Amino acid sequence: MNVCPLCNGLRRVMVYCSYCRQQMEDKGEVTDYFDDYSPYMDADVMKLVDGYLRTYTNHECVHLFYCPTCHEEEVRFIKE
């Protein structure tokens, strides 16, 4: 079974905004924002509907990062 190191608190990642170069905040999985119940759904099932073709087969967790300085958002693929 593969687990996301960010979701499970095993590792932290420093991501810097591509616009203003300030440190971004990890806001969790992109699929958590789909609806009220999606954070409670099985992560592997949500990978089938996350809009990215290879997240399930590549064992990747898609995280949303937010820049509190310039309000930009970026998506990063985290290897499980």
Side-chain angles (χ1 to χ4, degrees), residues 18-33:
S18 57
Y19 294 97
C20 69
R21 300 292 181 212
Q22 297 299 313
Q23 186 175 342
M24 301 184 86
E25 300 172 354
D26 181 9
K27 293 298 184 178
E29 293 182 67
V30 170
T31 54
D32 286 352
Y33 295 94

Side-chain angles (χ1 to χ4, degrees), residues 35-68:
D35 64 32
D36 293 340
Y37 296 103
S38 57
Y40 306 105
M41 300 292 290
D42 182 88
D44 285 338
V45 172
M46 294 305 289
K47 288 178 186 179
L48 298 174
V49 296
D50 65 4
Y52 300 99
L53 296 176
R54 303 200 190 286
T55 53
Y56 181 78
T57 56
N58 291 346
H59 303 288
E60 296 172 322
C61 187
V62 185
H63 276 253
L64 177 67
F65 287 87
Y66 172 75
C67 179

Side-chain angles (χ1 to χ4, degrees), residues 4-7 9-17 22-27 61 63-66 74-79:
C4 174
L6 298 185
C7 290
L10 302 174
R11 182 170 51 119
R12 291 183 57 138
V13 174
M14 302 291 265
V15 175
Y16 294 94
C17 180
Q22 297 299 313
Q23 186 175 342
M24 301 184 86
E25 300 172 354
D26 181 9
K27 293 298 184 178
C61 187
H63 276 253
L64 177 67
F65 287 87
Y66 172 75
E74 293 184 17
V75 171
R76 297 287 173 100
F77 295 87
I78 308 300
K79 188 70 176 164

